[in-house]
Amino acid sequence: MYSLAFDTTGAACNILLLKGGDILSRFEQSMDFGQAEALMPQLKRMLEENSLRFADIGALFVCVGPGSFTGVRSGIAAARVFALASPRLKVSGVSAFDAYLQTFDEEDIAETNAVIIETRRDDFYVQLFDRHLQKITEPQALGRSDIIAMLKDKGCLVSLSGDGVERFLNQPSGLCLHAIKMFDSLPVEALATAGFKQLKARRLDFPKPLYLRAPDVTLPSKP
């Protein structure tokens, strides 16, 4: 089965085309803006280079956030359009938290595991998981000191993953750290892995945006 996975929610546009578990084509480009504009042309190019039509794709996995408001909306809109155009296509939304969990190897897993995602503000998106990678907390946006206090309250070793980890650890945290996984953007292979796990467990989740705060809006100035 051919499958696609893509993410436009962070500081990059990342796309993966697979056949079974083998990677056929990959596109990864860091960008602060323009992820939505890059997505469709790159998808088209990747399919053409592999002599595929979209009708050949059996599964599609899209990151649903949290992240850029425009990036989340754009990726989900594309996935929903594909679902309408190809009713037999299996489409599922994957949260960035679930995707980053796939970056932990077995030896990386601690009693408490935190996914920390960049917000480009003073705070971070964060969610905590136990040693079985079951959620301890719901996703939320918190300041650094609040996250540290929450982790210290667990009183045990902590492993961290996410594109917000580097900034989070820019200053001493006082945490007992077990494993640290830093990324510039969400690894699209991790997104695909999380999607395939949903598919195998028959827990496909039709893409819905994961927003943890309202979008930034600037009202026009009065003349």
Side-chain angles (χ1 to χ4, degrees):
M1 179 181 71
Y2 294 101
S3 58
L4 280 168
F6 58 80
D7 171 38
T8 58
T9 64
C13 179
N14 295 332
I15 311 169
L16 203 63
L17 172 64
L18 305 103
K19 181 179 181 181
D22 298 325
I23 297 174
L24 295 180
S25 185
R26 175 201 307 270
F27 174 79
E28 294 178 319
Q29 183 172 329
S30 298
M31 53 182 73
D32 291 329
F33 306 100
Q35 293 91 331
E37 290 78 3
L39 177 63
M40 299 304 289
Q42 291 301 326
L43 284 172
K44 183 175 183 290
R45 178 189 63 80
M46 292 165 75
L47 291 173
E48 289 176 347
E49 288 179 351
N50 288 275
S51 301
L52 296 173
R53 301 169 302 155
F54 192 79
D56 297 320
I57 304 300
L60 186 154
F61 310 116
V62 59
C63 184
V64 298
S68 156
F69 185 76
T70 301
V72 170
R73 290 176 61 192
S74 300
I76 289 176
R80 289 183 174 183
V81 167
F82 293 145
L84 289 172
S86 183
R88 287 186 288 183
L89 177 68
K90 297 178 176 64
V91 178
S92 192
V94 179
S95 82
F97 296 106
D98 288 341
Y100 273 118
L101 280 184
Q102 312 309 314
T103 66
F104 286 123
D105 296 323
E106 186 175 351
E107 60 270 21
D108 297 327
I109 299 172
E111 285 297 309
T112 302
N113 306 277
V115 173
I116 300 177
I117 297 173
E118 183 60 71
T119 65
R120 303 187 190 182
R121 299 189 186 188
D122 291 337
D123 59 1
F124 300 87
Y125 299 128
V126 62
Q127 187 172 18
L128 304 189
F129 301 83
D130 65 17
R131 63 187 179 90
H132 303 294
L133 300 186
Q134 299 300 306
K135 67 179 182 180
I136 299 174
T137 67
E138 295 299 325
Q140 53 195 314
L142 292 175
R144 184 176 185 273
S145 60
D146 292 326
I147 297 173
I148 291 173
M150 185 168 60
L151 290 170
K152 285 185 175 180
D153 185 59
K154 301 300 176 184
C156 53
L157 285 175
V158 176
S159 289
L160 308 177
S161 180
D163 64 349
V165 171
E166 183 174 7
R167 180 166 69 89
F168 179 77
L169 294 178
N170 269 346
Q171 302 174 41
S173 66
L175 296 171
C176 297
L177 297 174
H178 175 61
I180 301 170
K181 315 284 278 191
M182 295 183 184
F183 302 93
D184 293 327
S185 63
L186 176 63
V188 70
E189 297 96 327
L191 174 64
T193 298
F196 280 123
K197 286 184 177 180
Q198 290 182 354
L199 182 62
K200 183 177 180 180
R202 298 183 179 180
R203 291 189 296 103
L204 296 182
D205 188 8
F206 191 72
K208 301 177 291 295
L210 176 56
Y211 296 136
L212 298 183
R213 62 154 55 97
D216 291 325
V217 177
T218 303
L219 296 177
S221 59
K222 294 181 179 180

